[in-house]
Amino acid sequence: QVQLVESGGGLVQAGGSLRLSCAASGRTFSSYAMGWCRQAPGKEREFVAAINWSGSNTNYKDSVKGRFTISRDNAKNTVYLQMNSLKREDTAVYYCAGRPRSWGTCEYDYWGQGTQVTVSS
């Protein structure tokens, strides 16, 4: 069973930056794609970013392109989400996810518990 543990969330002012990390258990981490989804209060969970098993292919939600960067370190079983130029509308619980059923969606087999990101004006 794969376990995903996020860290790095918090409170930041608009225009600031945060880096989320997601540590995965298990020896098969490097064999599957990973991603990040988020859920704001009263809204459905939405896709944010995804990265394939090797890191050679990434995909982003349009509103975060140019501001967020997803990356992974397979030697450390960790995936990252660097978030720059944060906006109030980025406020949400961010979930790390593994092994997508459909690329560019929030259909994943594995999920973390989520980490809160709050952007203040």
Side-chain angles (χ1 to χ4, degrees):
Q1 183 71 5
V2 174
Q3 289 188 321
L4 304 176
V5 179
E6 302 99 333
S7 61
L11 174 64
V12 64
Q13 287 190 332
S17 298
L18 281 176
R19 188 176 83 154
L20 305 183
S21 298
C22 173
S25 66
R27 294 177 291 178
T28 59
F29 174 81
S30 61
S31 67
Y32 50 82
M34 297 289 295
W36 292 90
C37 292
R38 68 187 182 187
Q39 188 166 19
K43 295 187 177 181
E44 292 189 354
R45 192 170 297 189
E46 64 178 6
F47 169 77
V48 176
I51 187 167
N52 72 336
W53 68 274
S54 67
S56 63
N57 187 23
T58 57
N59 189 21
Y60 295 94
K61 176 182 174 61
D62 283 346
S63 64
V64 308
K65 286 180 181 178
R67 300 189 298 121
F68 290 12
T69 302
I70 188 171
S71 62
R72 66 189 296 162
D73 185 337
N74 287 342
K76 296 182 178 180
N77 277 17
T78 302
V79 64
Y80 306 96
L81 185 67
Q82 178 67 44
M83 305 185 294
N84 298 329
S85 302
L86 282 161
K87 305 176 181 180
R88 288 195 65 185
E89 51 264 41
D90 295 319
T91 295
V93 177
Y94 283 71
Y95 295 90
C96 173
R99 204 164 77 179
R101 300 176 188 177
S102 179
W103 184 248
T105 73
C106 285
E107 298 175 19
Y108 282 85
D109 287 336
Y110 309 126
W111 289 93
Q113 81 286 354
T115 186
Q116 177 70 46
V117 171
T118 303
V119 184
S120 64
S121 58

